[in-house]
Amino acid sequence: MDRHGGQHRLALAHRAHAGAATGRAWGAAGCGAADGTQNAVILQVRAAGDAIYPSSLEPWSRIFDGVQGNNPGYDPLAFAVQQTRLRGLELHAWFNPFRAGNLRDTLTMSPQHFSVRRPDLVRKCGQLWFDPGEQAVQDHAIAVMRDVATRYDIDAVHIDDFFYPYPDTCTNFPDSATYARYRSSGGALSLGDWRRDNVNRFVERMYNEVHVVAPQVRVGVSPFGIWRPGSPAGIVGLDAFASIYADSRLWLQRGWVDYFAPQLYWSIASSGQSFPSLLEWWGQQNTQRRHLWPGLASYRINADPGPFAPGEIPAQISLIRNASTTVGRATGSILYNGTSVRTNRGGFATTLGGGLFATGAIPPATPWLDATAPAVPTLAVATSGSTLSVSMNPGDGDTRSFLLRWRVNGEWRQRVIASVQRAADIPAANVDGVVLNALDKVGNASADAVWRRP
């Protein structure tokens, strides 16, 4: 079997909005991702200089009751970590490093909000932005990420495509004073190169500093899906390199990410933004052989403008899977957004669950962070009527989950089980063998523990 069926299947559970991170909402999202079709959830924990967890650095998000700074009375991020562990899912913490809020938020900001404490760092252009060229802005965002990676048992730190604002909302970002200060200190870069350098330095620093405090926590970036028009030939659209100053190909080729998730939110049939062409091109750029897990627009199923047919996402996943045997190519995907998964928009989640995702998969290992496999678990199997009762125990403290496989008439079936669960039942009919592996936080698998029917 190919790496025990190793693929990454993630669902972006929530962008922060009113009511999104309540226990009830999280339970629904977690259950939607825990039906066997996904193996990880990306949860937005910092939408705009606020937090869905208790923080000494930033105020509580307003998503709970509409008032920024109000304590909801529990820790939603700790609850999310707990729930994902119980379900055998990974949890990736999603941050927006430079968004500060909407323009209408200026009168309702908490006194603890960084924009209130340091208004000199805020720029107004369509929305409120923390200026990426200000060192204090980068220092604060990195401190927030380090804090979460230190205090919570997350699996990854994740950022998306918001760096400098998109030109449809801001055509003249007001950072002239910041740039003039850079030039007066001896800087020689052009405005565009300087802005790109600001973002590049942030991405590199994020990658390094998260690993200082949490060596096994992966760092992922989900940039706009087109690096530059014409790359590859025939691709047209926004020039992210020149307009939002995101040199995302550089980050991938420098190895400043553990996983890279370009937002390929177009259809297979799109002429100017061909999904197959972009998928292949990004694989060719992956010279460091990082995990490539493109983002797929499941939110577009049966939705205007330009709705996707329900079969579009399964067809895209088929293309990804067919290309996965080539070195450097994609080995998984991210579905945006979690609501489309939970509501089974157009029945696409049912289609995946009965076909491409019918068998649970484990995330590919990240050996450049840690290549040491966990100890072999202990395995015991007892027959009880038409059921095999499987007991399992980790061999050491590095076990995050178990991969349980059993052979029926020569065909392997499998299930990923949280390490807190020490027993499972499987149908006994025609099973001639059971194999158990321990999996650690970065996906390393132990040697096999094996049971054979007497």
Side-chain angles (χ1 to χ4, degrees):
M1 301 178 69
D2 180 15
R3 187 59 181 71
H4 311 310
Q7 305 162 357
H8 226 324
R9 306 166 180 170
L10 299 96
L12 290 183
H14 289 297
R15 277 193 183 276
H17 56 81
T22 64
R24 181 179 299 175
W26 169 256
C31 289
D35 62 0
T37 61
Q38 280 82 47
N39 48 29
V41 173
I42 303 177
L43 178 67
Q44 191 172 54
V45 300
R46 186 203 197 227
D50 50 14
I52 68 161
Y53 55 90
S55 171
S56 62
L57 299 173
E58 299 192 300
W60 282 102
S61 171
R62 61 169 46 86
I63 64 174
F64 303 104
D65 63 3
V67 179
Q68 191 174 77
N70 278 6
N71 189 333
Y74 77 112
D75 184 343
L77 181 52
F79 181 72
V81 169
Q82 177 196 53
Q83 294 301 306
T84 50
R85 294 295 162 264
L86 290 174
R87 292 169 167 84
L89 297 167
E90 290 187 358
L91 183 68
H92 297 208
W94 172 14
F95 300 82
N96 283 123
F98 302 122
R99 287 190 66 243
N102 297 317
L103 292 176
R104 67 177 180 270
D105 296 336
T106 54
L107 298 178
T108 60
M109 291 289 194
S110 163
Q112 191 189 3
H113 197 274
F114 198 48
S115 68
V116 176
R117 293 187 283 124
R118 291 294 306 273
D120 56 308
L121 304 177
V122 178
R123 310 289 177 252
K124 296 181 180 180
C125 197
Q127 299 182 36
L128 300 177
W129 297 90
F130 295 119
D131 187 345
E134 294 281 4
Q135 187 62 43
V137 166
Q138 298 207 13
D139 291 346
H140 182 74
I142 294 294
V144 169
M145 294 176 174
R146 286 174 59 111
D147 176 53
V148 171
T150 300
R151 293 197 291 131
Y152 293 91
D153 186 22
I154 60 172
D155 294 285
V157 163
H158 176 99
I159 63 173
D160 59 17
D161 55 319
F162 283 109
F163 302 101
Y164 284 87
Y166 279 87
D168 61 337
T169 61
C170 173
T171 57
N172 186 19
F173 190 70
D175 59 353
S176 57
T178 317
Y179 180 60
R181 193 164 64 247
Y182 159 77
R183 294 283 291 188
S184 65
S185 67
L189 294 176
S190 68
L191 177 62
D193 287 342
W194 170 74
R195 286 175 173 171
R196 270 184 294 276
D197 184 61
N198 293 333
V199 177
N200 291 342
R201 287 186 296 104
F202 178 81
V203 172
E204 180 184 19
R205 182 180 174 190
M206 172 183 66
Y207 185 78
N208 291 330
E209 294 211 21
V210 167
H211 289 143
V212 167
V213 298
Q216 292 187 325
V217 168
R218 283 159 291 172
V219 174
V221 180
S222 182
F224 186 71
I226 298 171
W227 175 62
R228 305 207 73 175
S231 297
I235 295 298
V236 299
L238 178 84
D239 189 342
F241 179 91
S243 61
I244 61 173
Y245 306 98
D247 190 358
S248 53
R249 185 177 71 167
L250 177 74
W251 315 333
L252 179 62
Q253 295 188 338
R254 292 284 178 87
W256 295 344
V257 294
D258 296 312
Y259 71 84
F260 190 76
Q263 296 174 11
L264 303 188
Y265 290 172
W266 304 281
S267 69
I268 293 172
S270 174
S271 58
Q273 302 85 31
S274 166
F275 178 90
S277 296
L278 287 165
L279 177 66
E280 180 180 9
W281 185 85
W282 278 116
Q284 292 168 349
Q285 310 315 305
N286 189 15
T287 55
Q288 293 287 335
R289 307 298 185 245
R290 295 313 204 211
H291 298 308
L292 182 60
W293 302 327
L296 310 183
S298 56
Y299 73 93
R300 292 187 60 183
I301 296 173
N302 293 342
D304 291 326
F308 280 2
E312 177 69 30
I313 297 301
Q316 293 182 357
I317 292 172
S318 291
L319 287 178
I320 291 170
R321 185 168 295 186
N322 290 338
S324 65
T325 56
T326 303
V327 174
R329 300 308 197 262
T331 57
S333 57
I334 295 177
L335 299 175
Y336 180 74
N337 54 31
T339 299
S340 63
V341 178
R342 189 178 72 249
T343 61
N344 193 19
R345 184 169 293 175
F348 92 101
T350 299
T351 300
L352 290 176
L356 291 166
F357 289 180
T359 301
I362 62 175
T366 309
W368 55 89
L369 296 184
D370 179 4
T372 303
V376 180
T378 58
L379 169 67
V381 180
T383 302
S384 177
S386 61
T387 299
L388 292 180
S389 296
V390 181
S391 299
M392 60 203 88
N393 283 285
D396 58 25
D398 290 335
T399 300
R400 171 73 89 184
S401 57
F402 298 108
L403 177 66
L404 177 64
R405 294 176 287 157
W406 61 99
R407 189 167 60 186
V408 181
N409 295 327
E411 178 182 337
W412 285 100
R413 302 177 185 179
Q414 66 184 44
R415 185 187 306 168
V416 180
I417 299 172
S419 63
V420 295
Q421 182 179 339
R422 302 299 170 84
D425 291 335
I426 59 176
N430 301 316
V431 174
D432 65 354
V434 176
V435 177
L436 183 69
N437 302 94
L439 307 173
D440 67 13
K441 188 168 184 174
V442 296
N444 294 309
S446 72
D448 296 341
V450 179
W451 173 87
R452 293 182 176 85
R453 185 180 291 278

